[in-house]
Amino acid sequence: MNAAPSDLPGFQGSLFDQGTDIGPGPLHGLRRTELAGGAWVDHLPGWFHGADALFEELVAHVPWRAEQRRMYDGVVAVPRLLAYYPEGRPLPHPALHEAREALGAHYAAELGEAFTTAGLCLYRDGRDSVAWHGDRHGRSATRDTMVAILSLGDPRDLAFRPRGGGPVALRVPAGHGDLVVMGGSCQRTWEHAVPKTRRAVGPRISVQFRPHGVG
């Protein structure tokens, strides 16, 4: 069902993102962390200019929906709001199209195909989260791929651990235009999560760009 996020807590913009232009910056500052089993994570803080302005536009204009999922003997609410833009559907802001094209060009040699879809998650406060998982639906269950995440709004930690459990091996803060790209075998051999937090945090939007058939 549609869920207009009219009750979001106050959003505190970044002091370092006060420009009027909205769009991606250069990608030459990416830093790669190699993980075990052929997985890796790229991170570029502050990649997207005008991230706070884009955040406010997406909150207001994306058709956010609340979902429920069956768990054990009951039905529970998914702890975040969602939106999905399949291949061929225009993205909710032209700057997101620019970002997807820039990422596709940068990673063309490694990925070998384009990013074609976009999934959006709105984390309203620290109670919203996503549990440990890998994006293993479709082709990513059996082959290496990439998922690129643009984070807008207040930073939240994106945590990584080996598939099947174990201690957190990497924790990446992501917000205010930061970019995180998961590549190699990351979806098959590692898990990632946005844990709940008791800290006073504002809302955050995660925009996930994926190739065709990766879910």
Side-chain angles (χ1 to χ4, degrees):
M1 65 178 180
N2 290 337
S6 58
D7 57 347
L8 288 177
F11 168 61
Q12 298 295 321
S14 170
L15 295 176
F16 304 101
D17 188 28
Q18 301 299 316
T20 57
D21 293 335
I22 299 177
L27 288 161
H28 53 68
L30 279 163
R31 298 191 301 268
R32 179 163 297 187
T33 300
E34 300 284 353
L35 302 173
W40 52 262
V41 175
D42 280 355
H43 182 215
L44 180 56
W47 172 56
F48 206 88
H49 304 304
D52 292 345
L54 178 60
F55 171 87
E56 293 177 350
E57 290 200 32
L58 296 181
V59 165
H61 300 299
V62 166
W64 300 103
R65 68 182 187 276
E67 289 190 353
Q68 293 182 325
R69 293 180 182 171
R70 183 166 297 280
M71 182 172 292
Y72 305 111
D73 294 328
V75 176
V76 299
V78 173
R80 57 196 177 278
L81 300 182
L82 304 169
Y84 181 65
Y85 292 81
E87 185 173 356
R89 181 182 174 189
L91 298 179
H93 194 283
L96 293 181
H97 177 77
E98 293 179 38
R100 189 168 64 183
E101 292 295 302
L103 290 166
H106 181 84
Y107 287 105
E110 286 183 284
L111 182 57
E113 59 183 318
F115 294 100
T116 60
T117 68
L120 279 68
C121 296
L122 173 56
Y123 300 85
R124 294 158 290 189
D125 55 31
R127 293 170 295 181
D128 278 357
S129 63
V130 61
W132 290 108
H133 72 289
D135 294 354
R136 289 189 283 271
H137 299 290
R139 294 184 297 127
S140 50
T142 57
R143 58 174 286 184
D144 290 359
T145 189
M146 292 185 199
V147 177
I149 300 174
L150 168 64
S151 290
L152 310 167
D154 274 11
R156 293 285 298 273
D157 283 348
L158 182 60
F160 295 85
R161 72 180 186 185
R163 182 177 179 179
V168 173
L170 178 66
R171 195 179 295 270
V172 181
H176 294 308
D178 298 343
L179 173 67
V180 179
V181 182
M182 299 176 284
S185 69
C186 198
Q187 303 305 326
R188 292 184 289 108
T189 61
W190 286 72
E191 297 174 331
H192 56 278
V194 177
K196 296 182 187 295
T197 178
R198 294 182 179 178
R199 293 185 291 110
V201 295
R204 168 185 176 259
I205 291 174
S206 168
V207 183
Q208 311 107 41
F209 299 112
R210 296 181 176 89
H212 174 77
V214 173

